[in-house]
């Protein structure tokens, strides 16, 4: 089955700096790569996603890049703010069943 | 209107008991899921149902039995609860890859 690796497990940045989280996947059939943000005690919330026919997608301060050849994708957050502090999960899925295979999460702390 | 609702939100129970968690979605989605989030925050798929039919059954002890009476409901019954079953269980639904998670059920086995 699909194996998603995520790094780093923790990330601490100062407010205004950029944060980058990287994921790799194993199943070449994976074609959809969402990123979720989970605040303490809350449900995972989709923040951005990318499909395998696209190399990059941006939404305000958040961007995601995908390298299908290398089987890795990254989340970039620019101009970080304290409210960006949360656990971020990458995931990958195929067209079979649509179950999300999650990375182990990155705990992001943005200090003022 | 809550799109994916789970009950109960919290569940504290003793080892050996049997408990159920209920999930309902009003989005008209065809597929529903159960995910487990352990103490290390790792989110893992347990089951997936499409139009009441089981399509994914990951390596989960057979003490866990999902039931889908119709495509809007997916319940999870757990027999003989163990300490290691303590976790947050998230229900989710999707139409293709448009996903919605429930707010989670925090199960604590004592």
């Amino acid at each position: 089955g699909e194996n998603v690796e995520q790094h780093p497990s923790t990330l601490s940045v100062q407010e205004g700096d950029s944060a980058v989280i990287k994921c790799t996947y194993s199943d070449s059939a994976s074609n959809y790569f969402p990123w979720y943000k989970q605040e303490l005690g809350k449900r995972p919330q989709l923040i951005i996603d990318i499909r395998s026919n696209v190399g990059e997608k941006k939404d305000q301060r958040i961007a995601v890049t995908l390298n299908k050849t290398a089987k890795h994708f990254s989340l970039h957050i620019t101009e970080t703010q304290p409210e960006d502090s949360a656990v971020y999960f990458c995931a990958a899925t195929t067209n079979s069943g649509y179950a999300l295979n999650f990375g182990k999460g990155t705990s992001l702390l943005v200090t003022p | 209107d809550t799109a994916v609702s789970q009950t109960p939100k919290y569940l504290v129970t003793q080892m050996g008991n049997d408990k159920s968690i209920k999930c309902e979605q009003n989005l008209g989605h065809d597929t529903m899921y159960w995910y487990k989030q352990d103490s290390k925050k790792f989110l893992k798929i347990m089951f997936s149902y499409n139009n009441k039919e089981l399509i994914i059954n990951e390596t989960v002890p057979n003490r866990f039995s999902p039931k889908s009476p119709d495509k809007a409901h997916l319940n999870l019954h757990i027999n003989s609860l163990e300490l290691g079953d303590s976790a947050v269980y998230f229900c989710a639904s999707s139409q293709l890859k448009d996903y919605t998670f429930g707010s989670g059920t925090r199960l604590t086995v004592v």
Side-chain angles (χ1 to χ4, degrees):
Chain A
E2 173 66 276
N3 182 40
V4 178
E5 299 280 343
Q6 182 172 346
H7 299 279
S9 57
T10 60
L11 180 58
S12 183
V13 299
Q14 285 209 307
E15 183 175 1
D17 287 350
S18 294
V20 180
I21 302 170
K22 298 184 178 183
C23 289
T24 60
Y25 62 98
S26 60
D27 188 348
S28 56
S30 289
N31 57 9
Y32 175 64
F33 308 91
W35 285 88
Y36 283 83
K37 175 183 180 183
Q38 188 179 28
E39 296 173 337
L40 192 62
K42 300 282 181 69
R43 76 191 78 193
Q45 297 273 15
L46 178 71
I47 55 171
I48 195 166
D49 57 13
I50 192 166
R51 297 178 191 273
S52 60
N53 58 347
V54 174
E56 185 172 355
K57 184 176 176 181
K58 191 171 179 182
D59 182 4
Q60 299 182 341
R61 298 186 297 109
I62 295 173
V64 57
T65 57
L66 171 65
N67 182 327
K68 280 196 308 181
T69 305
K71 295 200 191 79
H72 65 70
F73 56 114
S74 301
L75 178 71
H76 304 251
I77 307 174
T78 58
E79 299 169 30
T80 53
Q81 301 164 2
E83 51 265 39
D84 294 330
S85 296
V87 179
Y88 290 80
F89 293 94
C90 63
T93 188
T94 68
N95 285 328
S96 175
Y98 309 119
L100 295 174
N101 297 287
F102 285 95
K104 291 193 173 180
T106 296
S107 181
L108 173 64
L109 178 64
V110 181
T111 53
Chain B
D1 262 354
T2 303
V4 180
S5 60
Q6 293 179 231
T7 53
K9 193 168 173 63
Y10 300 97
L11 186 52
V12 181
T13 187
Q14 289 190 322
M15 281 175 56
N17 283 351
D18 302 339
K19 289 293 178 187
S20 291
I21 307 172
K22 296 187 176 185
C23 180
E24 176 181 3
Q25 56 100 359
N26 62 5
L27 298 165
H29 287 171
D30 287 333
T31 311
M32 295 186 73
Y33 312 82
W34 281 109
Y35 286 85
K36 179 181 180 180
Q37 187 167 42
D38 62 22
S39 58
K40 295 182 181 176
K41 303 293 186 187
F42 185 39
L43 267 165
K44 188 167 170 57
I45 181 72
M46 298 174 71
F47 302 103
S48 172
Y49 269 75
N50 188 59
N51 268 318
K52 303 192 297 175
E53 186 180 339
L54 180 67
I55 54 172
I56 290 176
N57 181 355
E58 290 295 313
T59 308
V60 175
N62 57 15
R63 298 182 293 103
F64 290 79
S65 52
K67 288 215 172 28
S68 183
D70 55 61
K71 81 170 196 179
H73 296 84
L74 180 61
N75 303 322
L76 183 65
H77 188 76
I78 316 169
N79 289 327
S80 304
L81 277 155
E82 301 177 357
L83 292 177
D85 297 332
S86 296
V88 179
Y89 292 84
F90 285 99
C91 177
S93 71
S94 76
Q95 190 66 23
L96 300 179
K97 287 159 182 163
D98 180 18
Y99 250 83
T100 301
F101 280 88
S103 57
T105 295
R106 182 174 293 277
L107 172 65
T108 304
V109 183
V110 298

